[in-house]
Amino acid sequence: TPKQDKYKLARILAKKAIKEKKIFTICGSYPVVRDILRKKGWVEKRLPHRSGLQDGSIDQSYNCHENAGKNDDIHDLMSRMVKNEEASLFWTVRKDAINCHDLHCDQMLNHFAKTSSFTTKIGLCLNLRNLPWYAQANPHTFFPRCYGICMEDEKQDFIEDFRNTAASGILKWVVNLNAGSRIAQKAEEKSSNTDVHQDKGYECCNEMKVKQLPGKLVDMACLVCETYLEQRQHKDIDKTADCSSVLSEENWNELLRHYYSLVHEGAVICNAYSYVSQCQAVLSKIMSANPQQAIDGNRNIWIIKPGAKSRGRDIVCKDRLDDILRLVQVTQRSSVKENEWVAQKYIETPLLIYNTKFDIRQWFLVTDWNPLTIWFYKESYLRFCTQHFSLDDLDSSIHLCNNSIQKHYQNASNRNALLPYHNMWSSTKFQEYLEKKGHGTVWQNLICPSMKKAIVYTMKMAQESVEARKNSFELYGADFILGQDFKPWLIEINTSPTMFPSTPVTEELCTQVQEDTIKVVLSSKKMGKNKDTGKFELLWKEAPLDLPPFTVTDLLIEGVGIKKTTQKATPFMNVNFIASKISQEKAKNLASYQKREQSMVPLDYDKQHFKTEKEKNTHCKAPVLLKRQLGKQGRVKDVRTKSSGHTDCPSSPVLSVQSIPDQRLLPPINKRKGRKDANIWKIHQASLSFPSTHSINWTLHRSSKISGIFFFLADTGL
């Protein structure tokens, strides 16, 4: 029957996929990748997904896509047949969906680990400064300067940069002053006809109602810019003062207050034309020293971004220092994690198409980090804003080109009809536009090569921090903004760029780039030059890096473990034992005891001999704790019987031999059971005594007399 044929075909295809290791797993909505792999003979192993229950329990059903869910579908049958097999390819939307450390070396994954050094805004901001250590390039030539303003040192650098940019903005205002401006001409005539000192600003021109600023403002701005030039040219090495100390805090506040009035409120500077030549000379020097002078403009606008968010969330534009610092203070009070915000210089002079701002989404693929292998996609697309460009309004609909932001706004009513209604162009359409404007070679000669250089430089910088796992790959999306000189500026790099077909442009290009990514990944194991890589071109592949040799034995620490005893030992302080002396005296004492036992001579027969032996032996002071215990009258309890009696130790230092019982009178010992008579301890109680602390100052003498008693106790088993 047709149903039996379907089961038979599914079993044959599943066995073939298992044999050829063509089993894949997808976590997320990637219908294009699923269809492409199925066409190439791959079988999907569906993972269990979490249900909508509050306890987060795992539903044993499998992930389904749009066409799945039918029990008689052949792909569902094959998926059930390979559910116990290992997948050879994992394609996920999140990095943490699959732990790369749990995979075998031959299993492929579409993510690399530890890529935050360039895929997060704060990581790219802080790490791209180290580019000169990895390549002969200046990051300020393709990446707008950026600061992590939640860190104290970064915040101080940002404040200094904001002030310097404001000072240069004053000079630009003077240079760009429109000589034909009616307000400027009348204000100039009014200032020349009246006797006004240049160092004093005042509200004048009641007829024109224009605020005039003192001429000393230009002098202060020139002083700040000249100090900045000395820092850029390293002429301030022998000077202790920095740029911020050129002016006092009060003067800085006055300069910013006048700057806001000049730029935002339409004020003018008295006798501004007399400073034009001076300002032009300073700005020309700054232009040669600062490669970002062209994008600064004179409005001093900064774009404030969250450190690790995507899709344009919580991004704002600010042009006043107090507003930016207030935003940081509110963030810190709300206990948000560190490095939450970054401040990046906004490109105030972007290239516009029909008076509308746009950016470029460029894809590139990394298939290996050692050797570094980068693939550049030949197609990209442009994203337009919905409103006309203006620096007077800092609304997101004017300045943020992300489709996740612009889809919430309606297109302006006075917008050019040649712009697409869905706000997207392909790079091919953009090249046609440039050719009509007379810039047909700009894309191939300037824009595309500059984007390639920026990507290569950024990947070289991050090569050391990324976990370079073999058989992993990842597709990235880089965002660029073109300046008025067609020079691309890198804004950020996104991991897992969206593949949602939101417009006809993305529906075509996103499908194409996913298919070409699969071609590059699967053809990487094939030999030969005739590989089908689609529209991916090999951008960079360097020689493998020679890693330093590493052997585990070099880091091995050998040792013996120390076991803790269950009983605490009594501490002995100030005791000096000499092992060699003890071993020699022990042998002498044993021989002396054997002789005295044979002669049965009393131990105190020869006091002179006792003194001689006392002088020969080594003295050892007893611990203080032991002195205190022995200083009292000793009481020895009977441990073998339950008698509560005690034995008083006599004051005599030694006993006579007659008080020691004869060993022949002791009860016999049962050698088989190792037991002694219960009364043996009572017999020995009478013979035990310790020297009194009154007769001897408790100095241990290793003589034959005293040591004989101890050896006797050892022989009796006590």
Side-chain angles (χ1 to χ4, degrees):
T1 62
K3 190 172 184 180
Q4 292 177 348
D5 294 341
K6 185 181 295 185
Y7 282 124
K8 184 178 180 180
L9 178 61
R11 185 166 56 253
I12 294 174
L13 295 177
K15 289 182 178 180
K16 182 179 179 181
I18 294 172
K19 183 179 179 180
E20 297 178 357
K21 295 184 177 180
K22 289 186 176 182
I23 302 175
F24 71 96
T25 294
I26 291 182
C27 184
S29 179
Y30 289 98
V32 176
V33 177
R34 180 180 287 108
D35 293 339
I36 293 171
L37 291 175
R38 284 177 175 177
K39 291 178 182 179
K40 293 181 178 295
W42 288 67
V43 178
E44 181 181 5
K45 175 186 176 181
R46 293 173 185 164
L47 294 177
H49 67 279
R50 294 189 177 276
S51 62
L53 300 179
Q54 296 181 357
D55 57 354
S57 59
I58 296 179
D59 189 358
Q60 296 301 325
S61 61
Y62 291 99
N63 290 330
C64 300
H65 63 288
E66 292 79 359
N67 299 324
K70 297 181 180 180
N71 295 330
D72 57 348
D73 186 79
I74 188 171
H75 297 292
D76 294 335
L77 296 177
M78 290 188 294
S79 297
R80 289 196 292 268
M81 292 176 184
V82 300
K83 64 180 181 179
N84 296 326
E85 303 293 333
E86 287 186 349
S88 300
L89 173 62
F90 292 90
W91 192 292
T92 65
V93 67
R94 295 177 58 89
K95 292 180 180 293
D96 54 356
I98 299 294
N99 188 1
C100 62
H101 299 95
D102 297 336
L103 302 179
H104 300 300
C105 59
D106 58 342
Q107 291 178 303
M108 292 181 290
L109 180 64
N110 70 323
H111 290 294
F112 288 101
K114 300 180 180 180
T115 60
S116 60
S117 59
F118 67 96
T119 56
T120 59
K121 299 175 181 63
I122 185 64
L124 191 63
C125 168
L126 300 179
N127 293 291
L128 202 55
R129 304 171 188 174
N130 302 325
L131 178 61
W133 295 100
Y134 303 96
Q136 295 181 355
N138 184 6
H140 292 291
T141 58
F142 63 89
F143 182 70
R145 57 192 185 275
C146 189
Y147 302 93
I149 54 178
C150 282
M151 295 178 286
E152 188 62 31
D153 54 344
E154 292 282 319
K155 184 174 71 173
Q156 295 301 323
D157 294 341
F158 164 71
I159 294 174
E160 183 179 351
D161 194 340
F162 188 94
R163 291 172 173 177
N164 294 337
T165 308
S168 64
I170 296 174
L171 303 186
K172 290 180 181 179
W173 185 93
V174 175
V175 173
N176 297 332
L177 185 62
N178 188 1
S181 176
R182 184 179 302 176
I183 297 178
Q185 286 181 353
K186 291 186 177 181
E188 189 70 21
E189 292 175 0
K190 184 68 178 180
S191 61
S192 61
N193 294 333
T194 55
D195 186 13
V196 179
H197 196 273
Q198 294 183 359
D199 293 341
K200 295 182 180 180
Y202 64 99
E203 299 289 342
C204 66
C205 299
N206 294 329
E207 298 176 357
M208 303 301 301
K209 296 182 179 180
V210 177
K211 181 179 181 179
Q212 290 191 355
L213 303 177
K216 72 173 184 179
L217 179 64
V218 182
D219 296 330
M220 295 171 60
C222 289
L223 178 61
V224 172
C225 293
E226 289 173 356
T227 307
Y228 168 77
L229 282 173
E230 291 181 354
Q231 290 182 344
R232 299 289 298 182
Q233 298 172 359
H234 305 290
K235 294 181 179 180
D236 61 333
I237 296 178
D238 298 332
K239 297 180 181 180
T240 56
D242 56 357
C243 187
S244 61
S245 62
V246 175
L247 301 178
S248 62
E249 195 68 23
E250 182 179 357
N251 291 335
W252 274 119
N253 295 333
E254 181 183 1
L255 186 144
L256 290 180
R257 186 170 61 254
H258 290 334
Y259 169 74
Y260 296 147
S261 300
L262 184 69
V263 174
H264 302 292
E265 300 173 5
V268 297
I269 300 176
C270 297
N271 197 18
Y273 289 102
S274 61
Y275 296 98
V276 173
S277 59
Q278 180 183 358
C279 294
Q280 285 180 344
V282 176
L283 285 178
S284 61
K285 295 179 181 178
I286 294 178
M287 185 69 68
S288 60
N290 182 13
Q292 297 188 9
Q293 187 65 23
I295 67 173
D296 283 351
N298 62 347
R299 300 290 300 233
N300 204 2
I301 300 176
W302 293 75
I303 183 167
I304 316 301
K305 309 176 183 179
K309 288 186 179 181
S310 60
R311 300 190 299 275
R313 291 174 294 177
D314 300 334
I315 296 180
V316 293
C317 294
K318 300 288 184 181
D319 56 1
R320 292 180 179 269
L321 181 61
D322 296 339
D323 295 341
I324 299 174
L325 297 181
R326 191 179 302 111
L327 176 64
V328 178
Q329 292 175 357
V330 171
T331 303
Q332 292 177 346
R333 286 198 299 267
S334 60
S335 301
V336 182
K337 59 183 180 181
E338 204 173 90
N339 302 335
E340 177 68 20
W341 297 97
V342 296
Q344 188 176 36
K345 186 63 188 69
Y346 181 78
I347 300 176
E348 300 181 21
T349 57
L351 180 67
L352 303 178
I353 297 179
Y354 302 123
N355 198 26
T356 306
K357 184 183 176 182
F358 68 94
D359 66 356
I360 301 176
R361 167 60 62 88
Q362 178 63 56
W363 291 303
F364 67 96
L365 176 67
V366 178
T367 55
D368 201 348
W369 288 94
N370 186 21
L372 180 59
T373 307
I374 308 173
W375 300 81
F376 186 84
Y377 203 63
K378 298 178 183 179
E379 290 284 346
S380 56
Y381 64 94
L382 279 65
R383 302 178 296 187
F384 291 93
C385 292
T386 56
Q387 309 297 322
H388 285 169
F389 180 77
S390 174
L391 294 178
D392 297 330
D393 189 358
L394 300 181
D395 190 74
S396 300
S397 61
I398 301 174
H399 303 282
L400 302 182
C401 306
N402 197 312
N403 186 64
S404 300
I405 301 296
Q406 296 299 328
K407 68 181 182 181
H408 299 290
Y409 299 99
Q410 294 182 355
N411 295 335
S413 58
N414 58 347
R415 192 180 183 196
N416 195 306
L418 296 178
L419 289 174
Y421 70 95
H422 47 72
N423 299 322
M424 283 191 185
W425 266 4
S426 65
S427 58
T428 304
K429 179 68 176 178
F430 179 54
Q431 294 178 49
E432 295 175 358
Y433 166 82
L434 293 176
E435 189 173 357
K436 291 180 181 179
K437 295 294 182 179
H439 306 289
T441 60
V442 172
W443 178 266
Q444 296 296 336
N445 297 338
L446 177 60
I447 299 177
C448 198
S450 298
M451 290 193 298
K452 291 179 179 179
K453 287 182 180 179
I455 291 173
V456 172
Y457 290 151
T458 306
M459 295 302 100
K460 282 187 175 182
M461 175 273 301
Q463 186 177 9
E464 192 175 276
S465 59
V466 177
E467 186 173 338
R469 180 187 179 272
K470 295 295 181 181
N471 284 324
S472 286
F473 61 94
E474 189 158 8
L475 181 68
Y476 301 102
D479 295 339
F480 291 91
I481 290 182
L482 302 183
Q484 291 180 352
D485 55 354
F486 299 100
K487 182 180 179 180
W489 292 88
L490 176 64
I491 303 303
E492 61 184 32
I493 296 178
N494 300 274
T495 182
S496 297
T498 178
M499 294 295 163
F500 183 73
S502 56
T503 65
V505 176
T506 55
E507 184 178 3
E508 178 184 356
L509 293 180
C510 291
T511 302
Q512 201 171 46
V513 72
Q514 293 178 77
E515 183 177 357
D516 294 341
T517 302
I518 296 296
K519 290 180 180 179
V520 173
V521 172
L522 298 183
S523 65
S524 61
K525 298 182 179 181
K526 297 180 181 180
M527 304 301 295
K529 296 182 180 179
N530 298 327
K531 298 179 181 179
D532 185 12
T533 58
K535 292 187 177 181
F536 274 108
E537 61 174 339
L538 184 60
L539 173 61
W540 183 266
K541 186 174 183 179
E542 62 184 8
L545 299 177
D546 294 333
L547 299 177
F550 175 78
T551 55
V552 182
T553 55
D554 294 340
L555 302 178
L556 181 62
I557 300 177
E558 297 181 353
V560 179
I562 301 176
K563 296 182 179 179
K564 294 183 179 181
T565 59
T566 56
Q567 298 180 355
K568 295 183 179 180
T570 305
F572 286 88
M573 306 298 294
N574 299 328
V575 181
N576 185 15
F577 294 99
I578 304 176
S580 59
K581 290 287 185 179
I582 294 175
S583 60
Q584 294 175 3
E585 294 297 331
K586 186 176 180 180
K588 293 181 180 179
N589 294 337
L590 181 60
S592 176
Y593 167 73
Q594 292 176 353
K595 293 181 181 179
R596 295 185 184 279
E597 187 180 9
Q598 294 177 359
S599 58
M600 299 298 292
V601 180
L603 295 178
D604 54 351
Y605 77 100
D606 191 358
K607 294 183 181 181
Q608 188 66 26
H609 181 68
F610 183 85
K611 291 181 180 181
T612 304
E613 295 293 335
K614 177 181 177 181
E615 294 173 357
K616 289 182 181 180
N617 288 284
T618 305
H619 301 278
C620 178
K621 294 183 179 181
V624 179
L625 181 62
L626 190 58
K627 284 185 178 182
R628 294 176 181 175
Q629 293 177 355
L630 296 176
K632 302 178 182 179
Q633 190 176 12
R635 296 182 178 181
V636 181
K637 295 183 180 181
D638 187 356
V639 298
R640 298 298 298 270
T641 61
K642 295 184 180 180
S643 175
S644 61
H646 62 273
T647 304
D648 296 334
C649 297
S651 61
S652 146
V654 293
L655 291 173
S656 63
V657 181
Q658 293 146 1
S659 62
I660 301 176
D662 191 358
Q663 294 185 7
R664 293 173 293 181
L665 301 177
L666 294 177
I669 300 176
N670 191 347
K671 294 183 180 181
R672 292 184 178 180
K673 298 183 180 180
R675 299 176 59 183
K676 305 175 182 62
D677 188 77
N679 297 324
I680 187 173
W681 184 258
K682 297 181 179 180
I683 300 174
H684 292 169
Q685 275 186 343
S687 62
L688 289 174
S689 67
F690 294 88
S692 175
T693 55
H694 299 286
S695 58
I696 300 178
N697 193 16
W698 192 236
T699 303
L700 295 177
H701 304 283
R702 294 181 178 83
S703 60
S704 59
K705 295 178 173 46
I706 302 179
S707 61
I709 299 176
F710 288 107
F711 277 104
F712 168 76
L713 296 176
D715 292 340
T716 57
L718 297 177

